[in-house]
Amino acid sequence: MGLELYLDLLSQPCRAVYIFARTNNIPFEFKRVDLRKGQHRTEEFQKVNMLMTVPALKEDSFTLAESIAILLYLARKFKTPDHWYPAELQKRARVDEYLSWQHTTIRMKAGTMLIHKMLLPVITGKPVPAEKMQSLTEELNVVLNQFEQKFLQDKPFIAGTEVSLADLLALEEIMQSLIVGHDPFEGRPKLAAWRKRVEGAVGQQLCQEAREVMLNPSNPSADQITPEMVELLKKKYLK
């Protein structure tokens, strides 16, 4: 049995793993896990990842969770070009710095916006108030400013002159808000130019392929969201 990657391309870290593997010609079997149908919570999937999250990796009896761990494993196992995770200490530190920062900033803010815009109205039967969406947009703008000023500065890429894992993960996180009609690149020429460089490095066609589901999502209905997921969302966002 070869390498299996369990993914839902609506998920930003799943897209990053998918694009990385395809860009580097890493052979794998695509195992789709539909998050909206709760397939990540099934007994079968829990045998692969008891944390019930995607992406997940399985290779024979070896399993691995968490996108960063999976990307680093693939980079090392398949000896991908050095620029993805540089051997030079300070460049690698720049990649690690972003990977450590992203979880509670860009990932959280973009993900929260999507949940409020797409999922909560299905659960409550009411649209999210405009002032709430405005507040979420402002919070996202704060971390985008930090990303530009701290991590990009005047460099082509986060670690310097070549694309890295940090750039790939960052771009897919930032792209996520397009699902709800918010363009994070509008009025941000530096960010827009960086996006073009990252997409150019991995291939425009591959990026479009990975984002097809994201950019053309079907509107979720109440019967597509499992009761368990409804309860989780209510506890977290409807207090």
Side-chain angles (χ1 to χ4, degrees):
M1 186 180 296
L3 178 70
E4 298 174 347
L5 293 176
Y6 292 75
L7 310 167
D8 184 338
L9 296 183
L10 274 176
S11 157
Q12 50 273 45
C14 285
R15 293 196 302 273
V17 168
Y18 178 84
I19 292 170
F20 179 75
R22 289 286 308 277
T23 298
N24 288 284
N25 298 312
I26 296 172
F28 68 94
E29 183 177 353
F30 186 113
K31 297 283 191 176
R32 185 165 185 256
V33 180
D34 194 324
L35 295 175
R36 290 184 297 179
K37 292 182 179 179
Q39 291 178 354
H40 59 303
R41 303 184 67 82
T42 63
E43 183 177 343
E44 181 181 1
F45 181 69
Q46 287 183 57
K47 294 176 183 177
V48 177
N49 181 12
M50 65 178 293
L51 301 177
M52 297 182 289
T53 59
V54 290
L57 176 153
K58 187 174 187 293
E59 189 173 29
D60 299 322
S61 61
F62 176 72
T63 59
L64 188 64
E66 297 300 317
S67 57
I68 293 173
I70 290 169
L71 286 165
L72 293 177
Y73 176 79
L74 294 176
R76 291 160 176 158
K77 177 178 175 65
F78 292 94
K79 298 180 174 59
T80 58
D82 179 75
H83 63 83
W84 288 111
Y85 194 57
E88 197 278 318
L89 186 59
Q90 292 189 356
K91 287 183 179 180
R92 177 170 290 194
R94 288 295 175 220
V95 175
D96 289 337
E97 183 180 40
Y98 174 77
L99 298 181
S100 299
W101 176 80
Q102 59 149 353
H103 300 285
T104 58
T105 50
I106 286 181
R107 176 164 177 72
M108 179 181 290
K109 302 305 181 184
T112 300
M113 179 182 286
L114 183 147
I115 288 169
H116 277 79
K117 182 71 173 181
M118 289 191 70
L119 297 182
L120 294 188
V122 176
I123 294 171
T124 64
K126 301 175 182 178
V128 177
E131 59 269 22
K132 179 61 178 179
M133 290 307 301
Q134 180 61 34
S135 173
L136 294 174
T137 301
E138 291 172 358
E139 290 178 11
L140 178 61
N141 283 333
V142 169
V143 296
L144 290 177
N145 288 340
Q146 291 172 343
F147 178 75
E148 287 187 304
Q149 295 165 12
K150 163 64 179 172
F151 294 96
L152 275 187
Q153 300 177 17
D154 294 318
K155 300 172 295 183
F157 300 100
I158 292 173
T161 58
E162 294 184 279
V163 70
S164 71
L165 293 177
D167 296 285
L168 184 54
L169 277 164
L171 180 56
E172 292 313 307
E173 293 290 351
I174 293 171
M175 291 291 296
Q176 198 74 348
S177 62
L178 288 173
I179 298 179
V180 296
H182 175 71
D183 186 352
F185 305 98
E186 185 177 354
R188 294 181 179 274
K190 179 187 290 189
L191 198 66
W194 164 78
R195 172 189 175 181
K196 288 184 179 180
R197 289 192 293 271
V198 177
E199 292 177 341
V202 299
Q204 289 277 356
Q205 185 173 347
L206 177 56
C207 290
Q208 291 174 359
E209 174 190 318
R211 297 171 189 153
E212 184 176 356
V213 175
M214 181 202 83
L215 295 176
N216 299 284
S218 57
N219 292 324
S221 58
D223 60 354
Q224 290 179 310
I225 306 175
T226 64
E228 295 84 1
M229 184 64 65
V230 170
E231 288 305 311
L232 284 172
L233 292 171
K234 283 182 176 179
K235 287 179 181 179
K236 189 168 185 180
Y237 297 103
L238 298 176
K239 297 177 180 179

